[in-house]
Amino acid sequence: MLRALVRYYEILADEEDSPVPKLGYGTANISFALNIDDEGNLINLTSCKIQRGKKIVPRPMIVPEPVKGRTGTKPVPDFLFGNSSYVLGFDNKEKPERAKECFQSFKDFNISILREAGCREAEAVIKFLEKWDSEKALDNPAITEYLDEIYKGAVFIFRYYGKQEVHDIPAIKKVWEEYKNKSIDGTIQQCLVTGQKTSIQVLHPSIKGIYGGQPMGNSLVSFNARAYESYGKTKQQGLNAPVGEYAAFAYATALNALLSDLSHKLLLGDTTVVFWAETALPLYQDIFSIFMDCSELYLNDENKKYVRAKSAEKMVKEVLDGIAQGNNLDFDSFYANMVDRNIQFYVLGLSPNAARISIRFFLQGTFGSFAECIIQHYEDLSIQKQFESDMRSIPVWKILNETLSKKSDDKSVSTYLSTSLMRAILMGEGYPISLYQTILLRVHAEQDINYYKASILKACLSRKARRLKDESYKEVLALALNEESKNKAYLLGRLFAVLEKAQKDANPNINSTIRDKYFSSASTTPASTFPVLLGLAQHHISKSDYGARIDKSITEIMDKLDVDNDPFPKNLLLDEQGIFYLGFYHQRNLFYKPN
């Protein structure tokens, strides 16, 4: 996994105007620039913030590598950027001496490096730091104008006359990189990722952007207690899993870039999912993200939260529309606009665990293999909609939401279920048994089955039948009603829908039907339930204007059931219960929403 991330970093870094930092640099969210002149005077502050959706947020910028892990009492400054405590010597934490100490450390550290640069921009910053009086900071109108935002933790950089970031000046970048090279004094050992002998990273960079993670980031590789350390590696945590400084920087930079890209990141329960191809082209990520969350595909552009390539949207939409219509997909035409169907593709699921990160899954293969498995997943799900407002294609998060009780305040999804479902979708494996069982429980509890639950039951049964090479269920696992099927569980589901229709025709304003009382028992113990329901039906038919039509439907289904020679079963197994519900759903759709 780390090797794949390092490879992805190198692909991104090789791009012209690459958005990822080089070794010795990192990313920080910058709020303001301190604009200074040749004499180190503060001219003004300018905002660096950008609009993201409806919010104005700090701009992610490449800066000299941020300090990792400020855990001690001693101030540890960054180079040419920081918050007001370090850069200006004041804050609202009611510890003025601590703020002065932070500023002094920032001043000493930055001047020691900048003196080697020998350029006017460096001299301007040195003069600013030497003359800045933190006690008079609040007298400066440039500061007071933005005081509320400064107190909220704004981070600053320096600009020379408001034109160029000081940390981007070539002479200053050179002295910074020389300082970083001199500061490398770690143990030389073979890196597990690159295989090269190099200085081993002790503390790996923090990973940010994981749902539920620490605000300052979590560690992917960390050994900070005796229980986790290897024999002979006490207090040498970096040597427990020796990763070189370059590899640690590269994998963390690539992973942070993926996690910061909201258009190509998914959230399933407590698991954050990122994915990438071995290319800098975003097309593959666009296609994958739309496939996995197609909820925005049919929205107008102004209502979409994420920006993805139009070509990717068009490609995925054609596939999903074809599946919804029951068409077989021509994979050659699907890949016609692709760069390479054999390109390597990776999917990584991450969850926070205290200060560390848990790897829920890491899947790798060709993009073509993933795409074909996803398409098969949508084909398995495909069923006639109940209402026009129902989603044409069901994203993964919607499947997981259907497992939750509508009455419960706990809306957390099982981590096992979400990760198992992703593996099933992407690897073409059987869906988790718990998914099928949970949906059955929800149908029993709610005394009803909607479009989404019917789709999930059909998908689970379809995949199980395919895996076991069982053709006996094929006739009932269709898009819509199969009136020719003689599957007993399917016929019983259809019969229940007809009996409920008879009751509604007789009592159009009825609030509670036989479904509210008998749905679960009919699907589990039909022998003890259906004789009662058939007796009630004759009463309903006699009162209905459409009784003859309903009676004909009941007769046709009963003829196929042939209960005189093959009585109602005493019990239905779990698979048969799912088929019962599909029969009910298909028959009800024929009555109420023929599409």
Side-chain angles (χ1 to χ4, degrees):
M1 182 189 76
L2 298 185
R3 187 179 296 113
L5 286 167
V6 170
R7 171 62 182 149
Y8 185 58
Y9 166 78
E10 292 171 343
I11 290 171
L12 294 179
D14 285 343
E15 290 291 297
E16 188 176 352
D17 298 326
S18 172
V20 298
K22 301 292 193 293
L23 183 62
Y25 296 86
T27 304
N29 294 321
I30 306 300
S31 298
F32 296 102
L34 297 169
N35 299 316
I36 57 176
D37 61 18
D38 280 315
E39 298 304 315
N41 299 313
L42 178 61
I43 303 171
N44 57 25
L45 271 66
T46 54
S47 175
C48 298
K49 294 184 177 183
I50 58 174
Q51 185 161 354
R52 182 173 289 167
K54 296 181 179 179
K55 295 183 178 180
I56 303 296
V57 298
R59 180 193 300 272
M61 297 182 67
I62 295 175
V63 295
E65 186 177 9
V67 171
K68 160 75 175 180
R70 288 187 174 92
T71 56
T73 58
K74 184 179 180 181
V76 184
D78 287 302
F79 184 59
L80 289 176
F81 77 96
N83 60 26
S84 64
S85 303
Y86 283 93
V87 178
L88 299 172
F90 78 94
D91 53 37
N92 61 339
K93 299 177 182 178
E94 299 182 354
K95 294 182 179 180
E97 294 305 317
R98 172 65 179 180
K100 289 180 181 179
E101 188 180 0
C102 289
F103 175 73
Q104 189 62 46
S105 67
F106 182 84
K107 173 181 175 180
D108 295 341
F109 175 68
N110 278 262
I111 289 177
S112 67
I113 298 174
L114 290 170
R115 287 205 187 281
E116 304 297 322
C119 63
R120 59 188 179 182
E121 293 87 356
E123 289 299 322
V125 176
I126 291 172
K127 290 178 181 179
F128 169 84
L129 294 174
E130 289 178 336
K131 68 166 52 175
W132 179 256
D133 186 350
S134 59
E135 293 185 354
K136 297 181 180 179
L138 298 183
D139 296 334
N140 192 313
I143 298 296
T144 55
E145 182 181 355
Y146 299 101
L147 194 59
D148 288 343
E149 294 181 71
I150 292 173
Y151 281 157
K152 291 178 182 179
V155 177
F156 301 86
I157 58 170
F158 291 91
R159 277 186 184 151
Y160 182 67
Y161 281 101
K163 296 179 180 178
Q164 185 174 8
E165 284 78 14
V166 173
H167 61 265
D168 278 340
I169 302 298
I172 293 176
K173 292 175 71 173
K174 180 181 178 182
V175 296
W176 167 249
E177 290 163 10
E178 289 174 351
Y179 166 80
K180 287 294 293 181
N181 290 333
K182 290 177 183 177
S183 64
I184 296 176
D185 57 358
T187 302
I188 303 299
Q189 196 171 325
Q190 187 176 36
C191 172
L192 292 178
V193 179
T194 64
Q196 299 175 349
K197 285 193 174 183
T198 183
S199 178
I200 299 303
Q201 184 78 35
V202 177
L203 295 176
H204 290 221
S206 296
I207 306 301
K208 301 179 181 180
I210 294 177
Y211 173 76
Q214 300 289 337
M216 298 302 294
N218 296 65
S219 294
L220 186 61
V221 180
S222 175
F223 305 86
N224 64 341
R226 291 291 301 276
Y228 312 122
E229 294 175 342
S230 301
Y231 179 75
K233 306 297 183 184
T234 304
K235 297 183 180 180
Q236 301 180 63
Q237 58 172 302
L239 303 185
N240 280 262
V243 177
E245 292 194 357
Y246 166 74
F249 164 80
Y251 88 70
T253 301
L255 187 51
N256 280 322
L258 290 167
L259 288 165
S260 66
D261 185 358
L262 299 181
S263 294
H264 302 120
K265 180 171 74 171
L266 301 174
L267 180 62
L268 302 177
D270 70 341
T271 302
T272 303
V273 183
V274 293
F275 35 90
W276 68 96
E278 287 193 346
T279 175
L281 295 173
L283 177 63
Y284 299 96
Q285 289 172 290
D286 283 339
I287 294 172
F288 185 89
S289 58
I290 298 169
F291 262 135
M292 299 309 294
D293 183 2
C294 51
S295 55
E296 290 197 337
L297 193 58
Y298 300 93
L299 298 178
N300 296 327
D301 288 344
E302 58 269 17
N303 294 324
K304 292 179 180 178
K305 292 168 58 179
Y306 308 122
V307 179
R308 286 141 180 176
K310 293 293 183 183
S311 58
E313 290 185 349
K314 180 175 181 293
M315 190 182 303
V316 175
K317 188 174 184 299
E318 287 177 354
V319 171
L320 296 182
D321 285 351
I323 291 173
Q325 296 166 13
N327 300 331
N328 292 324
L329 179 67
D330 179 1
F331 279 102
D332 290 334
S333 64
F334 172 70
Y335 289 118
N337 298 321
M338 296 291 297
V339 177
D340 184 1
R341 65 190 296 175
N342 295 314
I343 196 166
Q344 285 296 302
F345 196 82
Y346 306 90
V347 186
L348 175 61
L350 305 167
S351 294
N353 178 13
R356 293 181 180 81
I357 296 171
S358 296
I359 308 298
R360 296 301 182 189
F361 53 83
F362 176 60
L363 308 176
Q364 53 186 322
T366 64
F367 183 80
S369 66
F370 282 127
E372 289 168 22
C373 287
I374 294 170
I375 291 169
Q376 181 63 65
H377 161 71
Y378 279 110
E379 289 179 346
D380 290 340
L381 280 174
S382 183
I383 198 170
Q384 184 184 52
K385 291 199 297 182
Q386 183 178 5
F387 303 111
E388 190 58 37
S389 59
D390 289 334
M391 295 180 181
R392 187 171 303 187
S393 301
I394 307 174
V396 182
W397 62 264
K398 184 62 178 175
I399 295 175
L400 294 173
N401 283 355
E402 288 299 312
T403 66
L404 303 175
S405 171
K406 296 176 182 177
K407 298 180 180 179
S408 174
D409 293 332
D410 183 9
K411 299 302 181 182
S412 58
V413 177
S414 162
T415 300
Y416 168 79
L417 180 57
S418 61
T419 55
S420 299
L421 178 60
M422 279 295 289
R423 288 189 63 89
I425 294 171
L426 299 178
M427 306 302 288
E429 300 171 353
Y431 295 112
I433 296 174
S434 59
L435 174 63
Y436 182 79
Q437 293 175 336
T438 303
I439 294 299
L440 282 184
L441 288 173
R442 294 266 41 88
V443 174
H444 288 320
E446 296 168 10
Q447 297 291 301
D448 194 13
I449 180 168
N450 61 14
Y451 161 67
Y452 303 105
K453 290 182 175 66
S455 296
I456 296 167
L457 292 178
K458 172 183 175 287
C460 290
L461 291 169
S462 297
R463 190 153 295 195
K464 181 179 180 180
R466 189 184 310 114
R467 189 177 77 255
L468 298 177
K469 298 181 180 178
D470 184 353
E471 296 290 325
S472 60
Y473 294 166
K474 185 176 181 180
E475 63 183 20
V476 300
L477 302 177
L479 284 174
L481 179 66
N482 181 359
E483 295 182 324
E484 303 304 317
S485 173
K486 294 184 178 181
N487 182 286
K488 189 171 288 289
Y490 190 73
L491 288 170
L492 289 171
R494 290 185 58 198
L495 179 59
F496 192 93
V498 174
L499 296 177
E500 185 188 36
K501 183 66 164 62
Q503 185 183 29
K504 287 187 174 181
D505 286 347
N507 303 282
N509 298 320
I510 192 170
N511 293 323
S512 177
T513 70
I514 58 172
R515 178 163 45 83
D516 299 294
K517 185 176 181 180
Y518 295 103
F519 200 43
S520 294
S521 60
S523 65
T524 53
T525 56
S528 61
T529 305
F530 273 95
V532 176
L533 297 178
L534 288 168
L536 291 172
Q538 294 307 311
H539 171 69
H540 297 144
I541 289 171
S542 66
K543 296 173 60 178
S544 172
D545 294 337
Y546 309 99
R549 188 172 65 184
I550 291 294
D551 192 46
K552 180 181 178 183
S553 297
I554 294 174
T555 301
E556 290 175 351
I557 296 174
M558 291 297 292
D559 287 344
K560 288 186 172 68
L561 283 169
D562 191 19
V563 294
D564 291 334
N565 298 312
D566 187 9
F568 289 118
K570 292 182 178 180
N571 303 98
L572 292 182
L573 302 177
L574 289 179
D575 285 1
E576 293 171 326
Q577 290 175 35
I579 293 172
F580 174 97
Y581 291 133
L582 288 177
F584 172 82
Y585 178 83
H586 281 157
Q587 184 69 52
R588 185 176 62 178
N589 265 18
L590 182 68
F591 286 141
Y592 298 107
K593 195 65 177 179
N595 287 333

